[in-house]
Amino acid sequence: MEQEKKQKHANCVQEKTNHFTETAVRVSTVSIVGNTVLSLLKLIAGIVAHSGAMVSDAVHSASDVFSSIVVIIGVKLAGKDSDEEHPYGHERIESVAAIVLAIVLCITGLFIGHAAVENLTARDPAELQIPGLLALIAAGISIAAKEAMYWYTRYYAKQLESDALMADAWHHRSDALSSVGSMIGILGARMGYRWFDPVASLLICVFIVKAAYDIFADAIKKMVDHACSQETQQGIVACAGRQEGVLGVSHIQTREFGNRIYVDLEILADGQIPLTEANKIAERVHDRIEQEFPKIKHILVLVRPKE
């Protein structure tokens, strides 16, 4: 009976993992196709319309293609079963993927910023070419497309509670902001303020580096066994307290492991009851908490006598 319960739980965990992997790969594939088309469109528009900001924007979109590939690799590795060398699973690989994305995003932003500074300091503003109308149209298309991709990816990142997908979503949002900056720069340059175009690239750099820092900080937090939120911990304690035979909760300890949670819980019960009854109480608490908190991968429930 106990073996059947363990097998049922293992099958349930694997089913959730498979759903997570398949959904994340599908979302990332959509991102790859969309970003490939957008980066080519913006590159052509930037070159033809003589817009440095649009070329910078194209480079940013191209980096999104690489980001989505990293996400696919990360979630596939994170979804692997536990083995002898990794008895707790591979979920942290997803956080590693998010860190890689943050680094790529930061390098992309600094590259764009460096090019913008060179244009502002090494050239006479009068020598800067005025961007054509095509660059303005491309910026508008990019804003609409990247904002749509942000909300699409963010929806599934929230649903799956995926660090790597959320990092990819913010990569889309930073690209949308980058296109807004491009549009402002192109408009300003076409109105006679030629330095607007490289200044827009410089602002794009700031947006990108800030997004990279936020992604990096969140991923690192989950790599160092950070406790889950107080709200989640309070919910777990409340759930345990509602179970029959539980007289209180004396201790709870949680840690985030990639996109999953590990929990150590100590509950109080009547010290006069038989050991078999105490074990049944622990099982009820264990099963109920796993039902109410699907993000929990493993929970250890210890029973202590109430003094």
Side-chain angles (χ1 to χ4, degrees), residues 15 26 28 38 41 68 74 112 132 141-142 161 168 198 207 213 218-219 222 232 262 273 295:
E15 186 178 335
R26 185 179 70 248
S28 297
L38 271 177
L41 170 67
S68 296
I112 291 171
I141 293 172
S142 176
E161 300 188 45
D168 210 23
F207 280 127
Y213 171 78
D218 185 64
K222 293 185 177 180
T232 300
Y262 282 76
I273 62 174
K295 196 176 176 183

Side-chain angles (χ1 to χ4, degrees), residues 22-264:
E22 290 169 5
T23 304
V25 169
R26 185 179 70 248
V27 172
S28 297
T29 302
V30 171
S31 295
I32 289 172
V33 174
N35 283 319
T36 300
V37 173
L38 271 177
S39 60
L40 289 173
L41 170 67
K42 290 192 280 191
L43 181 62
I44 293 170
I47 293 172
V48 172
H50 309 294
S51 172
M54 185 50 59
V55 172
S56 298
D57 213 3
V59 172
H60 190 189
S61 289
S63 73
D64 281 357
V65 176
F66 173 75
S67 297
S68 296
I69 292 172
V70 172
V71 170
I72 289 176
I73 295 171
V75 297
K76 277 187 171 292
L77 291 176
K80 288 174 62 179
D81 290 339
S82 303
D83 52 41
E84 289 185 6
E85 294 184 350
H86 307 91
Y88 292 100
H90 302 78
E91 282 83 3
R92 274 191 178 146
I93 294 178
E94 195 195 345
S95 294
V96 173
I99 290 172
V100 171
L101 293 186
I103 293 171
V104 171
L105 196 56
C106 184
I107 291 172
T108 303
L110 293 176
F111 172 79
I112 291 171
H114 179 263
V117 170
E118 280 194 335
N119 277 334
L120 283 169
T121 59
R123 301 178 63 178
D124 186 337
E127 296 178 359
L128 296 173
Q129 291 182 297
I130 297 176
L133 183 61
L134 180 61
L136 199 60
I137 295 171
I141 293 172
S142 176
I143 292 169
K146 293 302 294 188
E147 191 65 15
M149 290 171 72
Y150 163 75
W151 285 106
Y152 172 73
T153 308
R154 182 180 181 275
Y155 170 79
Y156 284 105
K158 287 275 190 181
Q159 188 181 79
L160 300 175
E161 300 188 45
S162 167
D163 293 340
L165 269 186
M166 186 58 76
D168 210 23
W170 276 105
H171 211 155
H172 293 319
R173 170 55 67 82
S174 69
D175 206 3
L177 291 172
S178 150
S179 294
V180 170
S182 296
M183 178 174 276
I184 294 171
I186 293 165
L187 275 172
R190 286 177 61 81
M191 291 170 64
Y193 303 99
R194 302 189 181 204
W195 49 270
F196 259 45
D197 193 61
V199 166
S201 291
L202 200 56
L203 289 175
I204 290 167
C205 163
V206 174
F207 280 127
I208 294 173
V209 172
K210 173 61 168 60
Y213 171 78
D214 291 341
I215 293 166
F216 184 83
D218 185 64
I220 288 294
K221 182 184 74 173
K222 293 185 177 180
M223 289 285 287
V224 294
D225 289 343
H226 190 276
C228 62
S229 68
Q230 283 294 318
E231 181 183 359
T232 300
Q233 292 193 54
Q234 289 168 5
I236 293 170
V237 170
C239 177
R242 291 193 298 268
Q243 307 313 307
E244 183 182 351
V246 177
L247 302 180
V249 174
S250 59
H251 176 73
I252 180 171
Q253 186 170 297
T254 63
R255 61 188 176 97
E256 292 182 329
F257 190 86
N259 69 326
R260 306 301 290 276
I261 297 174
Y262 282 76
V263 181
D264 294 326

Side-chain angles (χ1 to χ4, degrees), residues 239-249 266-274 277-285 301-306:
C239 177
R242 291 193 298 268
Q243 307 313 307
E244 183 182 351
V246 177
L247 302 180
V249 174
E266 292 182 6
I267 60 174
L268 301 174
D270 185 350
Q272 303 302 314
I273 62 174
E277 182 61 30
N279 189 54
K280 287 179 181 178
I281 294 171
E283 286 183 356
R284 280 199 298 271
V285 171
V301 182
L302 299 178
V303 183
R304 298 195 179 281
K306 185 170 184 180

